[in-house]
């Protein structure tokens, strides 16, 4: 294969990865909106889209492996492919958790709700989406310094999630009618934490992409 | 590098991956025991060991990437290395969730407990450990047929987890003193489900290892 043709394929892989990331981010936005606005249709839309996200992962992995096997790339080219190969799983799992949020939104239907908690979850959902988007931007810019900064947001998300969890437990104790709903709120918070964790994993691969070093952020 | 030397390195990588897996499995066993026997010391032991599991992942990833870059392996050899490169993250995340179970065990200390639920969680914990061990055995035997069978266990674990969750919600409604504990039980069930999910991911890589095909089980 000609060098230019290889470079084109590499560039395409890079762009497809970014595009998969923006789709996951858009689904996260939808899932959180469905959760807060009690929109069953929107939630089902998110659940249906998960299959597409899974297919994108398989496609990216297959393509990455093919490029490694046939082109035997080295240094920067190899790192570009390895990053897609590794981090596409992180994007796919973000998608899984987004789907779980959408399923929780459907579960909530008809149950006693806690409006203050839903507002808190909505705000945290926006925060998590901002972290995901920032990590995707750092990827497309190849900005490892920014990637390291983004990773620090994980603790903030965990702290906020912890505070909301306390609020949920208090509400459950005060009014046992909210216990069923409370469970779905608690699960959703775990999913938002995990999505942030996967964004941090992506950041680790951005550092690798630039430096060749495997780090834990 | 001589072919025999490369083969030795490949074999070492394969064994180190398996060894990492058995360590995660042993930690899972400890975490569930700590959870049920209210053993703070054992739980802290699990939390301390997580750092070692994380280091093993970094070591395996670094070694895999080095072998790909320097040896430019093909076909079966490349698949062996790619499997370790991809699935070492699954093992590491199992370890993360095992640590979360240990943290939940510490949280439980002094709170009102539900003995029946703890027994159920203990049994499910054993079941999940059996799934993890089966996937590691399928890996070491390169048994993709077995890997496909193991993946079917995920739904069983989810179903059992769902039943226990219902029991927890009932107990919380009946006695609000159990709400704080109930939260940690619910979280632990999510962690056990996720650990099973990672074992399924490993099974997907066993299928790839044998066939070269990326599948979703």
């Amino acid at each position: 294969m000609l060098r230019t043709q290889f470079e084109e394929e590499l560039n395409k892989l890079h762009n497809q990865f970014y595009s998969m990331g923006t789709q996951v981010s858009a689904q996260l936005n939808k899932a959180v909106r469905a959760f807060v606005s009690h929109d069953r249709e929107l939630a089902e839309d998110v659940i249906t889209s998960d299959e597409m996200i899974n297919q994108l992962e398989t496609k990216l992995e297959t393509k990455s492996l093919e490029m490694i096997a046939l082109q035997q790339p080295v240094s920067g080219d190899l790192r570009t492919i390895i990053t897609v190969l590794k981090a596409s799983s992180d994007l796919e799992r973000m998608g899984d958790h987004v789907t779980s949020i959408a399923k929780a939104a459907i579960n909530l239907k008809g149950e006693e709700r806690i409006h203050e908690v839903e507002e808190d979850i909505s705000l945290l959902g926006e925060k998590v989406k901002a972290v995901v988007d920032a990590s995707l931007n750092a990827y497309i810019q190849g900005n490892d310094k920014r990637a390291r900064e983004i990773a620090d947001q994980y603790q903030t998300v965990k702290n906020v999630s912890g505070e909301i969890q306390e609020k949920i437990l208090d509400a459950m104790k005060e009014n046992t009618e909210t216990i069923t709903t409370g469970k779905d709120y608690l699960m959703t918070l775990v999913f938002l934490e995990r999505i942030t964790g996967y964004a941090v994993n992506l950041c680790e691969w951005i550092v690798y992409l630039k430096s060749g070093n495997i780090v834990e952020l």
Side-chain angles (χ1 to χ4, degrees), chain A residues 98-139:
Chain A
V98 166
T99 304
S100 298
I101 293 174
K103 285 181 183 163
I106 291 175
N107 263 348
L108 283 176
K109 200 82 191 171
E111 297 288 342
E112 180 87 11
R113 309 178 76 127
I114 316 167
H115 292 287
E116 196 193 333
V117 165
E118 291 193 357
E119 264 173 47
D120 287 347
I121 291 176
S122 170
L123 284 174
L124 186 63
E126 281 171 30
K127 166 90 189 149
V128 171
K129 185 183 181 296
V131 173
V132 171
D133 290 344
S135 68
L136 289 168
N137 286 333
Y139 170 78

Side-chain angles (χ1 to χ4, degrees), chain A residues 153-182:
Chain A
Q153 301 291 310
Y154 182 57
Q155 198 51 53
T156 313
V157 170
K158 277 201 84 156
N159 292 346
V160 175
S161 169
E163 284 162 22
I164 305 174
Q165 287 179 32
E166 288 304 319
K167 222 183 256 188
I168 294 167
L169 293 182
D170 288 344
M172 286 167 133
K173 284 171 197 167
E174 212 171 282
N175 174 8
T176 56
E177 292 289 307
T178 63
I179 285 178
T180 307
T181 332

Side-chain angles (χ1 to χ4, degrees), chain A residues 66-93:
Chain A
E66 189 191 298
M67 288 177 79
I68 293 172
L70 300 181
Q71 310 292 332
Q72 308 201 316
V74 291
S75 56
D77 293 345
L78 180 60
R79 288 205 299 274
T80 300
I81 300 172
I82 292 289
T83 299
V84 171
L85 178 65
K86 284 288 293 191
S88 55
S89 300
D90 295 319
L91 295 183
E92 189 264 337
R93 280 165 195 166

